[in-house]
């Protein structure tokens, strides 16, 4: 079975389609994450070079936590050289955790040993213990609610999401 036909990848691609993140198959050269690159409102995937399919959700997180105005500029010369900021990086990591939980995928699918500057185990440990690094930022973006605000509003708390894409 090809990587593209795997259960996890099919599940991820269906989810991304549902939240309007476009996937475009494209031959890619050398990229920061092998087999993946971002473009305006889309993720480019080269399945022949993709090493870690969980990285698709991380890249989707970058699109999701970026404003809709800036999202259209990703992959162009018009996007700020500061993009993504450190805060957006943390938000994308936390977003991908929420997506994995929503999709009922193992955290090791996203936080594989060869990613996240060797902090995958640390991220899994923190998130599994509900130490959600970056949660105030996702809450500020209007994507989710922390425990306190969720209880006050009678809604589900993170990792449940109010919406998957930032306005």
């Amino acid at each position: 079975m090809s990587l593209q036909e795997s259960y996890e990848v099919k599940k991820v691609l269906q989810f991304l389609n549902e939240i309007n993140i476009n996937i475009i198959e494209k031959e890619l050269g050398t990229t920061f994450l092998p087999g993946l690159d971002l473009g305006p409102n889309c993720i480019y995937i080269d399945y022949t070079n993709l090493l870690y399919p969980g990285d698709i959700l991380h890249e989707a997180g970058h699109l999701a936590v970026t404003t809709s105005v800036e999202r259209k500029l990703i992959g162009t010369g018009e996007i700020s050289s500061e993009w993504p900021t450190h805060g957006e990086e943390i938000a994308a990591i936390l977003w991908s955790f929420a997506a994995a939980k929503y999709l009922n995928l193992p955290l090791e699918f996203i936080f594989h040993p060869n990613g996240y500057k060797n902090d995958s185990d640390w991220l899994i440990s923190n998130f599994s213990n509900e130490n959600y690094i970056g949660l105030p930022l996702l809450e500020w973006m209007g994507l989710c609610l922390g425990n306190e605000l969720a209880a006050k509003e009678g809604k589900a708390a993170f990792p449940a999401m109010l919406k998957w894409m930032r306005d």
Side-chain angles (χ1 to χ4, degrees), residues 7-152:
Y7 170 76
E8 295 87 358
V9 170
K10 281 183 172 182
K11 199 171 195 178
V12 166
L13 296 180
Q14 180 180 346
F15 168 69
L16 297 180
N17 183 57
E18 289 170 8
I19 64 169
N20 297 315
I21 291 180
N22 297 316
I23 301 297
I24 299 172
E25 286 187 55
K26 178 179 176 179
E27 188 175 321
L28 298 170
T30 302
T31 54
F32 181 73
L33 294 175
L36 292 171
D37 204 2
L38 292 174
N41 289 313
C42 71
I43 300 173
Y44 299 117
I45 300 179
D46 180 348
Y47 289 102
T48 60
N49 291 317
L50 181 64
L51 295 180
Y52 306 104
D55 288 345
I56 298 168
L57 276 180
H58 177 77
E59 292 303 279
H62 280 296
L63 292 171
V65 303
T66 300
T67 64
S68 59
V69 170
E70 290 179 310
R71 201 176 303 131
K72 296 172 189 169
L73 303 177
I74 294 172
T76 72
E78 296 176 49
I79 190 77
S80 166
S81 62
E82 303 296 315
W83 184 89
T85 65
H86 293 297
E88 288 165 330
E89 181 66 39
I90 291 166
I93 291 169
L94 194 56
W95 184 96
S96 64
F97 165 79
K101 296 296 276 184
Y102 177 76
L103 296 171
N104 203 23
L105 294 170
L107 296 183
E108 293 79 10
F109 176 74
I110 296 172
F111 303 118
H112 55 83
N114 294 314
Y116 301 92
K117 300 178 182 171
N118 297 317
D119 282 337
S120 295
D121 288 340
W122 180 79
L123 289 166
I124 290 170
S125 174
N126 273 281
F127 295 161
S128 296
N129 289 308
E130 298 184 8
N131 182 20
Y132 300 130
I133 302 145
L135 183 58
L137 186 53
L138 277 187
E139 200 171 9
W140 174 79
M141 291 175 176
L143 298 177
C144 65
L145 299 173
N147 288 333
E148 189 176 313
L149 196 51
K152 190 182 290 185

